[in-house]
Amino acid sequence: MGSLNDSAVRPLAGIKVLDLGIIASAPFAARTLQDLGADVIKLETPDGDPLRGGPDAKGRRRFPFLACNRGRRSIAADLKTPGGQEILHRLVRRADVLIENFRPGVGERLGVTWDKMAALNPTLIHCTITGFPENSPLARLPITDGVIQAHAGVLEMSGRGGNFGEPLPIIVADAIAGSTAAQGITAALFARVRTGTGVHVEINMLDGLLNYLHLTANITTSLGPPATNVLETGDGQVLLVQPVLHFFSKFAAAVDALAGCPELVEDTRYATPEARAENVVALRTLLQAAFRKASAAQWLAAMAKAGVPAGPINTVAEGIRSPEARAIPVDLDGVEMMLPESPFVLDGMRNRITNSAPEVGEHTDEILLDVGFDQDEIAALRAGGSIAASGAGEC
């Protein structure tokens, strides 16, 4: 087992990532690379990433920003100014990876295009994340995670009775796009070792989400009742039990053994998936009566012994504080929140993370000195409005 500084724990150690993204997809991609050892600099406007929530942000309003941007340094610069462009160019020349999720057209206005960035640094991996494919007529429209979910068909899956539902209350399209981008960037870094040249990695949220959705096609029929059962136990707890596919015979035998329910095994109404679907109301009534005869602990033990998927239904707070979750407590403006650790375990070790996120432009002067600006040049940039009036901004 290695130490926290071993290359096995930090395989991307030495890789410098410049994150120009806002909200979620690009910052989440950068966070994934950071969890693997990369050094991330966040370049944001003097007003800061909108995900920060503004100067009055408190408690939960800032938690998504912390979750996406923990552990990196922040520099705040106005890319619409000549000084801001010079800062960008110096950072790009030193970077291995640039990640941005500008709406098509914005990158061109700010001079952040593949051609221009590659001219500055021919070995750069430039990752562009958009909502729709760049050649789509929808590409230049403002989008949200919910818009992408709606376009991809998620609201059909979240609905019931032939009616469309609501977007899932998680930024699933952003998160998938960020994860997909991190995969593409890692592959591009590997290709660069062989070719010595940079790569333009293009990811869009719709492609990423659809790529995952095909794994769960027809989920409304395959994972709805009776395959999925939410059942209250004798001690008032609620469990999720999924005796899908080949699990049902084992499930029926386990229920009969614990609660005395022979009809679940013998009745032809429950013998096949088709029969169970036709008699779902009777089946759920039968199961609910059976599950009230024993405690949650007894049922979970019985399901585990039978090899049937089952588990408690937790709140988000309960889930992240469960013994199985790897999370650390953070104080967020007086509110204690739990922050998940890195999901990557390499040779039995996790890369240690920091539990803080930077203030707007907190490391501006430090980063500018790193890329070759001297104190007089920094003062001139500040006087010209290219960077904030002080070294760190306000959240």
Side-chain angles (χ1 to χ4, degrees), residues 104 128-141 143 148 151 202-208 210:
T128 300
I129 305 176
T130 58
F132 293 99
E134 289 200 25
N135 59 357
S136 164
L138 305 177
R140 294 177 182 265
L141 298 176
I143 61 97
I148 298 298
H151 195 94
E202 298 179 84
I203 303 294
N204 73 77
M205 294 165 66
L206 180 64
D207 280 351
L210 288 173

Coordinates of all heavy atoms in Angstrom, one line a residue, residues 104 128-141 143 148 151 202-208 210:
P104 N -22.0 28.3 -27.5 CA -21.3 28.6 -28.8 C -21.5 30.0 -29.1 O -22.6 30.6 -29.1 CB -22.1 27.6 -29.8 CG -22.4 26.5 -28.9 CD -22.7 27.0 -27.6
T128 N -14.2 21.3 -24.8 CA -15.3 22.2 -25.0 C -16.6 21.4 -24.6 O -16.8 20.3 -25.2 CB -15.5 22.7 -26.4 OG1 -14.3 23.4 -26.7 CG2 -16.7 23.6 -26.6
I129 N -17.4 21.9 -23.6 CA -18.6 21.2 -23.3 C -19.8 22.2 -23.6 O -19.8 23.3 -23.2 CB -18.7 20.9 -21.7 CG1 -17.5 20.1 -21.3 CG2 -20.0 20.2 -21.4 CD1 -17.4 19.9 -19.8
T130 N -20.7 21.7 -24.4 CA -21.9 22.4 -24.8 C -23.2 21.7 -24.4 O -23.1 20.5 -24.0 CB -21.9 22.7 -26.3 OG1 -21.9 21.4 -27.0 CG2 -20.7 23.5 -26.7
G131 N -24.3 22.3 -24.5 CA -25.6 21.7 -24.2 C -26.0 20.7 -25.3 O -26.3 19.5 -25.1
F132 N -26.1 21.3 -26.5 CA -26.4 20.5 -27.7 C -25.1 20.4 -28.6 O -24.2 21.2 -28.5 CB -27.5 21.1 -28.5 CG -28.9 21.1 -27.8 CD1 -29.3 22.2 -27.0 CD2 -29.6 19.9 -27.8 CE1 -30.5 22.1 -26.4 CE2 -30.8 19.8 -27.1 CZ -31.3 20.9 -26.4
P133 N -25.1 19.5 -29.6 CA -24.0 19.5 -30.6 C -23.8 20.9 -31.2 O -24.8 21.6 -31.5 CB -24.4 18.5 -31.6 CG -25.3 17.6 -30.8 CD -26.1 18.4 -29.9
E134 N -22.6 21.3 -31.5 CA -22.4 22.7 -31.9 C -23.0 23.0 -33.3 O -23.3 24.1 -33.6 CB -20.9 23.0 -32.0 CG -20.2 23.1 -30.6 CD -18.9 23.8 -30.6 OE1 -18.7 24.6 -31.5 OE2 -18.1 23.6 -29.7
N135 N -23.3 22.0 -34.1 CA -23.9 22.2 -35.4 C -25.4 22.1 -35.3 O -26.1 22.2 -36.3 CB -23.4 21.2 -36.4 CG -23.6 19.7 -36.0 OD1 -24.2 19.5 -35.0 ND2 -23.3 18.8 -36.9
S136 N -26.0 22.0 -34.1 CA -27.4 21.9 -34.0 C -28.0 23.3 -34.0 O -27.4 24.3 -33.5 CB -27.8 21.3 -32.6 OG -29.1 21.5 -32.3
P137 N -29.2 23.5 -34.6 CA -29.9 24.8 -34.6 C -30.2 25.2 -33.1 O -30.5 26.4 -32.9 CB -31.1 24.6 -35.4 CG -31.4 23.1 -35.4 CD -30.0 22.5 -35.3
L138 N -30.2 24.3 -32.2 CA -30.4 24.6 -30.8 C -29.2 25.0 -30.0 O -29.3 25.4 -28.8 CB -31.1 23.5 -30.1 CG -32.4 22.9 -30.7 CD1 -32.9 21.7 -29.9 CD2 -33.5 24.0 -30.7
A139 N -28.0 24.9 -30.6 CA -26.8 25.1 -29.9 C -26.6 26.4 -29.3 O -26.0 26.5 -28.2 CB -25.6 24.8 -30.9
R140 N -27.1 27.5 -29.9 CA -26.8 28.8 -29.4 C -27.9 29.3 -28.4 O -27.9 30.5 -28.0 CB -26.6 29.8 -30.5 CG -25.4 29.5 -31.3 CD -25.1 30.4 -32.5 NE -23.9 30.0 -33.2 CZ -22.7 30.5 -33.0 NH1 -22.6 31.5 -32.2 NH2 -21.7 30.1 -33.7
L141 N -28.9 28.5 -28.1 CA -29.9 28.8 -27.2 C -29.5 28.6 -25.7 O -28.7 27.8 -25.5 CB -31.2 28.0 -27.4 CG -31.9 28.1 -28.8 CD1 -33.0 27.2 -28.9 CD2 -32.3 29.6 -29.0
I143 N -29.5 27.1 -22.2 CA -30.0 25.8 -21.8 C -29.8 25.6 -20.3 O -28.9 26.2 -19.7 CB -29.4 24.6 -22.6 CG1 -27.9 24.5 -22.4 CG2 -29.8 24.7 -24.0 CD1 -27.5 23.6 -21.4
I148 N -32.1 19.9 -21.1 CA -31.5 18.7 -21.7 C -32.2 17.4 -21.3 O -32.5 16.5 -22.1 CB -30.0 18.6 -21.3 CG1 -29.3 19.8 -21.8 CG2 -29.4 17.3 -21.8 CD1 -29.2 20.0 -23.3
H151 N -35.4 17.2 -23.4 CA -35.1 16.9 -24.7 C -34.8 15.4 -24.9 O -35.1 14.8 -25.9 CB -33.9 17.7 -25.3 CG -33.8 17.7 -26.7 ND1 -34.4 18.7 -27.6 CD2 -33.2 16.9 -27.6 CE1 -34.1 18.5 -28.8 NE2 -33.4 17.3 -28.9
E202 N -14.5 17.4 -27.6 CA -15.8 18.1 -27.7 C -16.9 17.2 -27.1 O -17.1 16.1 -27.5 CB -16.2 18.4 -29.2 CG -15.2 19.4 -29.8 CD -15.6 19.7 -31.3 OE1 -16.4 20.5 -31.5 OE2 -15.0 19.0 -32.1
I203 N -17.5 17.7 -26.1 CA -18.6 17.0 -25.3 C -19.8 17.8 -25.3 O -19.8 19.0 -25.2 CB -18.1 16.7 -23.9 CG1 -16.8 15.9 -23.8 CG2 -19.2 16.0 -23.1 CD1 -16.8 14.5 -24.4
N204 N -21.0 17.2 -25.5 CA -22.2 17.9 -25.3 C -23.1 17.1 -24.4 O -23.1 15.9 -24.3 CB -22.9 18.3 -26.6 CG -23.6 17.1 -27.3 OD1 -24.7 16.6 -26.9 ND2 -22.9 16.6 -28.3
M205 N -23.9 17.9 -23.6 CA -24.7 17.3 -22.5 C -25.8 16.3 -23.1 O -26.0 15.2 -22.4 CB -25.4 18.4 -21.7 CG -24.4 19.2 -20.9 SD -25.2 20.8 -20.4 CE -26.4 20.2 -19.2
L206 N -26.3 16.6 -24.2 CA -27.4 15.7 -24.8 C -26.8 14.3 -25.1 O -27.3 13.3 -24.8 CB -28.0 16.3 -26.0 CG -29.1 15.5 -26.6 CD1 -30.3 15.2 -25.7 CD2 -29.6 16.1 -27.9
D207 N -25.6 14.3 -25.8 CA -25.0 13.0 -26.2 C -24.7 12.2 -24.9 O -24.9 11.0 -24.9 CB -23.7 13.3 -27.0 CG -24.0 13.6 -28.5 OD1 -25.1 13.4 -28.9 OD2 -23.0 14.0 -29.1
G208 N -24.1 12.9 -24.0 CA -23.7 12.2 -22.7 C -24.9 11.6 -22.0 O -24.8 10.4 -21.6
L210 N -27.9 10.8 -23.3 CA -28.5 9.8 -24.1 C -27.6 8.5 -24.1 O -28.2 7.4 -24.1 CB -28.7 10.2 -25.6 CG -29.8 11.2 -25.8 CD1 -29.7 11.7 -27.3 CD2 -31.1 10.6 -25.5

